[in-house]
Amino acid sequence: MNLKTLSEHLKLSQTTVSRALNGYPEVSEKTRMRVQQAAQELNYSPNARAKGLATGRAQTIGHVIPVSTQHEMVNPVFGDFIAGAGSAYAAAGFEMMISLVDDKSQEKLYRDICARRNVDGIIVHGPTMDDPRIALLSELNMPFVVHGRASNIDLPYSWLDTNNSRAFQRATEFLLDLGHTRIALMNGLEFMDYANRRRLAYEGALTGRGIALDGDLMCSKEMTEIKGFLSASAMLKLESPPTAFLTSSMITAIGVRRAIHDAGLTLGKDVSVITHDDDLGYLKNGHDVPIFTATRSSVREAGIRAGEILLRLIRDPSAGPIHEIIEAELIIGASTGPAPRRQNA
Amino acid sequence: MNLKTLSEHLKLSQTTVSRALNGYPEVSEKTRMRVQQAAQELNYSPNARAKGLATGRAQTIGHVIPVSTQHEMVNPVFGDFIAGAGSAYAAAGFEMMISLVDDKSQEKLYRDICARRNVDGIIVHGPTMDDPRIALLSELNMPFVVHGRASNIDLPYSWLDTNNSRAFQRATEFLLDLGHTRIALMNGLEFMDYANRRRLAYEGALTGRGIALDGDLMCSKEMTEIKGFLSASAMLKLESPPTAFLTSSMITAIGVRRAIHDAGLTLGKDVSVITHDDDLGYLKNGHDVPIFTATRSSVREAGIRAGEILLRLIRDPSAGPIHEIIEAELIIGASTGPAPRRQNA
DNA sequence: GAAGCCATTCAAAGCGCTTTGAGGAAAATG
DNA sequence: CATTTTCCTCAAAGCGCTTTGAATGGCTTC
């Protein structure tokens, strides 16, 4: 069923049918009703490619997911972010197109996507400190919104980010207030911008209280259960082990918890853990009492907001750049407690 | 940059340029080189919508992700599956389009997608026992591959599935061999086909050894950490608690582990746990020794295979229906051990 | 040198839609 | 009744590509 057969069937011109379906005023209400009903019955939906070609709009948003070849891992946050963004697109009648790309072919892929014109805008995932994609997309004149920020870039661009600095500062201070001084940071990979911000905030909070940084208590790894477990296990074996951990994700925290158990220690008593919690659908942090004390910021919500911002930018390119920062809440769970008194005190 | 300007720039017709770029033989090698070089330099990529309109092929695969409104959760397996499928598409020059849909509007969405013709094929996720989508897509004449199967449907259709029955039968028998008789099943929601298969296999293995089923030891919930924790905690408080758990996902297993710890018991000694492991990138089951004994089947691999099957079906619709079953390996980890002797024996 | 043949290249039609600029019929006005 | 206005409808052009069928030119061959 295409426009031609539909209009022939209705004994109307293609113009009239098109106008009727797209809500133009030059069509009588009676005709419009008739057309709409016929479209419904015959299950007519305009061919998206033809429509896109005619209008110059693809009604599609692109997401480029970096799939690193070295660490073969899809960010677990991805699904929830997509779900959020997708709901924003659906509400606006947009589709979502996903491309996977390994680090090497990034630039080529972005150029291709823009040249092929099958998206009207792009969400940039996982920005690094001086992410080259921002300059590239600006140059290519493609609307985009960054989920996160790129510290070392001072071009104007639109972004939406969690206040990672504030979250990690608060988390560190929360532990400091409980008397902890040996606080470990289990960070994500630090070429990622957010991980860098988190470390700086952690360092700032410590030095702000006159506590020297200790490289042994800081690590920067992929945020998996295993890495959390291994790093925490190693740290707990130090001569002067940490009494608290600050982790970058729930999954890492679960690994840390396992390390604590395996070391014969008790979570929330011998060792405290505070984590960042992306509030993922399949990894909720407890039911009544949160399992982990956490800085919580819903990544699904971030997806919705990012999607909405991009849609606005597409509608009105002069609206940008738009910045939005999401504050994380600090929620108190069962995984933190006062620093244990030194055994040899 | 479009074909017209490129051909004018080259002082060639659009036909010749198009042919040169698409590898037709009616073009001299010299011209082809010249055209390709110019395309490269000027960063020309054909407009995907126009190309699609002209060829009738969208070069795009659709994935419809059910986002249940009741249990607001994106399947954690999704990201890895997509990554697998995406790599298959990329290799074939296909794009991936994702649509989210709540249960209610399923049929409408599928009909729309087909009518709009912006995908050449569809991957069906999360089939239920008598999934109506299979009949629908068959009727709409759209190539599709189901990730999983629908037990109660006997239309011919292409699918790719893990051998859930075999996996759960082996897992149950493994526990039985270790002397366990009180074996709990922490299943996924049983309107999902795979969950049903798993339960049947578990039941079959138990009754095969003359062990009566006990409803108290079976639950069917969303596969989250919390649900795993709550269900396991409740079961461990039973008068005659289970000595082993069979869980449907790593995440559930992590919840079960927490319940076991909280009950003051030791994993792999007092209580055994065996889980199904989708081998997710961010949730690897241990480094040297697996944390959990598990039936492992890579969901990323499933994505690759499903994508390849669908591409084949699109190329040659007469090739189907294609069926592929993936056997899970049983890997032995630290979470299982012989059944503890009865305390009151 | 004419005829025939490849090897190249081209102009034009068509994919299914939107949108412009114009036309026709009915209603309102003089 | 003729003219204007209003409303509705239409034919045709164009979006950027592929593909058909025809044309061109340089070679051979007799």
Side-chain angles (χ1 to χ4, degrees):
Chain A
M1 176 60 49
N2 59 18
L3 185 60
K4 191 170 169 211
T5 48
L6 178 62
S7 57
E8 278 166 2
H9 175 261
L10 283 163
K11 302 212 193 313
L12 287 173
S13 75
Q14 299 191 31
T15 313
T16 307
V17 176
S18 172
R19 299 220 126 130
L21 293 173
N22 290 314
Y24 282 76
E26 304 92 332
V27 163
S28 73
E29 257 339 282
K30 208 175 67 189
T31 323
R32 189 190 306 283
M33 294 310 279
R34 198 162 71 91
V35 171
Q36 277 174 345
Q37 184 159 346
Q40 185 96 36
E41 277 165 13
L42 298 170
N43 217 274
Y44 169 77
S45 253
N47 180 309
R49 291 194 298 274
K51 185 164 187 164
L53 185 56
T55 58
R57 276 167 273 120
Q59 296 281 102
T60 302
I61 306 291
H63 286 247
V64 183
I65 311 298
V67 180
S68 168
T69 31
Q70 352 172 11
H71 2 89
E72 272 269 329
M73 185 180 116
V74 185
N75 192 327
V77 147
F78 168 61
D80 268 57
F81 186 89
I82 287 295
S87 69
Y89 303 154
F94 274 65
E95 302 286 343
M96 176 163 57
M97 179 154 275
I98 307 234
S99 307
L100 301 158
V101 62
D102 53 11
D103 325 297
K104 306 157 207 161
S105 27
Q106 288 247 33
E107 176 169 345
K108 171 118 182 57
L109 181 78
Y110 279 91
R111 283 191 185 280
D112 278 4
I113 286 179
C114 294
R116 301 163 68 187
R117 308 246 68 117
N118 48 8
V119 301
D120 299 322
I122 290 183
I123 297 272
V124 173
H125 290 270
T128 60
M129 299 283 288
D130 12 40
D131 202 302
R133 292 174 292 176
I134 291 168
L136 179 60
L137 288 170
S138 305
E139 173 203 327
L140 292 172
N141 213 16
M142 168 68 72
F144 68 100
V145 170
V146 181
H147 179 210
R149 274 172 284 178
S151 297
N152 299 345
I153 302 279
D154 43 39
L155 289 168
Y157 64 95
S158 295
W159 50 260
L160 166 133
D161 199 5
T162 298
N163 197 339
N164 282 295
S165 301
R166 181 106 188 76
F168 273 60
Q169 184 198 333
R170 287 179 72 195
T172 311
E173 285 176 351
F174 180 81
L175 292 170
L176 289 166
D177 290 344
L178 285 168
H180 295 277
T181 54
R182 300 287 293 162
I183 301 174
L185 174 68
M186 320 288 283
N187 206 358
L189 294 165
E190 286 182 16
F191 60 81
M192 301 300 277
D193 192 80
Y194 73 91
N196 194 260
R197 286 177 194 271
R198 289 174 176 183
R199 180 169 57 74
L200 294 177
Y202 156 88
E203 291 177 355
L206 287 183
T207 54
R209 300 273 181 110
I211 295 177
L213 302 177
D214 181 348
D216 288 347
L217 298 186
M218 293 158 67
C219 76
S220 165
K221 298 266 172 66
E222 289 175 279
M223 301 187 296
T224 62
E225 203 266 0
I226 301 282
K227 303 279 183 190
F229 171 78
L230 292 175
S231 303
S233 295
M235 288 185 190
L236 288 171
K237 290 199 191 89
L238 288 175
E239 203 165 324
S240 170
T243 62
F245 288 87
L246 180 50
T247 71
S248 249
S249 89
M250 285 283 288
I251 294 179
T252 312
I254 288 171
V256 171
R257 179 175 72 197
R258 181 158 66 98
I260 292 169
H261 279 138
D262 277 15
L265 300 167
T266 303
L267 175 68
K269 199 163 137 257
D270 303 317
V271 184
S272 289
V273 171
I274 180 166
T275 185
H276 186 73
D277 173 9
D278 293 296
D279 204 21
L280 302 179
Y282 57 90
L283 205 54
K284 290 287 175 197
N285 185 4
H287 38 121
D288 39 4
V289 178
I291 305 164
F292 292 105
T293 297
T295 54
R296 176 189 291 167
S297 164
S298 162
V299 91
R300 183 187 279 249
E301 184 63 28
I304 296 178
R305 306 288 306 116
E308 289 173 347
I309 292 174
L310 184 50
L311 290 172
R312 200 180 336 153
L313 242 38
I314 289 170
R315 244 176 274 127
D316 174 17
S318 70
I322 297 172
H323 306 313
E324 185 163 324
I325 199 139
I326 299 178
E327 292 297 336
E329 352 165 47
L330 181 57
I331 58 168
I332 310 304
S335 68
T336 44
R341 310 244 320 265
R342 286 271 194 77
Q343 282 151 303
N344 53 351
Chain B
M1 176 58 50
N2 57 21
L3 185 60
K4 191 170 171 210
T5 49
L6 177 63
S7 56
E8 279 166 2
H9 175 261
L10 282 163
K11 303 213 193 310
L12 286 173
S13 74
Q14 299 191 29
T15 312
T16 307
V17 177
S18 171
R19 298 222 126 128
L21 292 173
N22 290 313
Y24 282 76
E26 303 91 332
V27 162
S28 74
E29 255 343 278
K30 209 176 64 190
T31 327
R32 190 191 304 284
M33 293 311 276
R34 196 162 70 92
V35 171
Q36 277 173 345
Q37 185 159 345
Q40 185 98 34
E41 277 166 14
L42 298 170
N43 216 273
Y44 169 78
S45 252
N47 180 309
R49 290 194 299 274
K51 184 163 187 163
L53 186 57
T55 57
R57 276 168 273 119
Q59 296 282 102
T60 303
I61 305 292
H63 286 246
V64 183
I65 311 298
V67 180
S68 169
T69 32
Q70 356 171 10
H71 3 89
E72 272 269 328
M73 185 180 116
V74 185
N75 193 329
V77 147
F78 168 62
D80 267 58
F81 185 89
I82 286 295
S87 69
Y89 303 154
F94 273 65
E95 304 286 342
M96 176 163 56
M97 178 155 278
I98 307 237
S99 307
L100 301 158
V101 62
D102 53 11
D103 325 297
K104 306 157 208 161
S105 27
Q106 288 246 34
E107 178 170 344
K108 171 117 182 59
L109 181 79
Y110 278 93
R111 282 191 186 280
D112 278 4
I113 287 179
C114 294
R116 301 162 69 189
R117 309 244 66 114
N118 49 7
V119 302
D120 299 323
I122 292 184
I123 298 271
V124 172
H125 290 270
T128 59
M129 300 281 289
D130 12 40
D131 202 301
R133 293 175 292 176
I134 291 167
L136 180 61
L137 288 170
S138 304
E139 174 203 327
L140 292 170
N141 215 14
M142 167 70 71
F144 68 99
V145 171
V146 180
H147 178 210
R149 274 172 284 178
S151 298
N152 300 343
I153 303 278
D154 43 39
L155 288 168
Y157 64 94
S158 295
W159 50 260
L160 165 135
D161 199 4
T162 298
N163 196 340
N164 282 295
S165 300
R166 181 106 187 77
F168 273 60
Q169 183 199 335
R170 285 180 73 195
T172 310
E173 285 175 350
F174 180 82
L175 291 170
L176 289 165
D177 289 346
L178 284 169
H180 295 276
T181 54
R182 300 286 294 161
I183 301 174
L185 173 69
M186 320 288 284
N187 206 358
L189 294 165
E190 287 183 15
F191 60 82
M192 301 300 278
D193 193 80
Y194 73 91
N196 193 261
R197 284 177 195 272
R198 289 174 177 182
R199 180 169 57 76
L200 293 178
Y202 156 89
E203 291 177 353
L206 287 184
T207 54
R209 300 273 182 109
I211 295 177
L213 303 178
D214 181 349
D216 288 348
L217 297 186
M218 292 157 68
C219 76
S220 165
K221 298 266 171 65
E222 288 175 280
M223 300 186 296
T224 63
E225 202 267 359
I226 301 281
K227 302 279 183 190
F229 172 77
L230 293 175
S231 302
S233 295
M235 287 184 189
L236 288 171
K237 289 198 190 92
L238 289 174
E239 204 165 324
S240 171
T243 62
F245 288 88
L246 180 50
T247 71
S248 248
S249 90
M250 285 284 287
I251 294 180
T252 311
I254 288 171
V256 172
R257 179 175 73 198
R258 182 159 65 96
I260 292 169
H261 278 139
D262 278 15
L265 301 167
T266 303
L267 176 68
K269 200 166 136 256
D270 302 316
V271 184
S272 289
V273 171
I274 179 166
T275 184
H276 185 73
D277 173 9
D278 294 296
D279 205 21
L280 304 179
Y282 57 90
L283 203 54
K284 289 287 176 201
N285 185 7
H287 38 122
D288 39 6
V289 177
I291 304 163
F292 293 104
T293 297
T295 53
R296 177 188 289 167
S297 163
S298 162
V299 92
R300 182 187 280 249
E301 185 64 28
I304 296 178
R305 306 289 304 118
E308 288 173 348
I309 291 174
L310 184 51
L311 290 171
R312 199 181 334 154
L313 242 38
I314 289 170
R315 243 177 276 127
D316 175 16
S318 71
I322 298 173
H323 308 311
E324 186 163 325
I325 199 139
I326 301 178
E327 292 296 337
E329 351 166 46
L330 181 57
I331 58 167
I332 311 301
S335 68
T336 44
R341 309 245 320 263
R342 286 272 193 77
Q343 282 151 303
N344 53 353

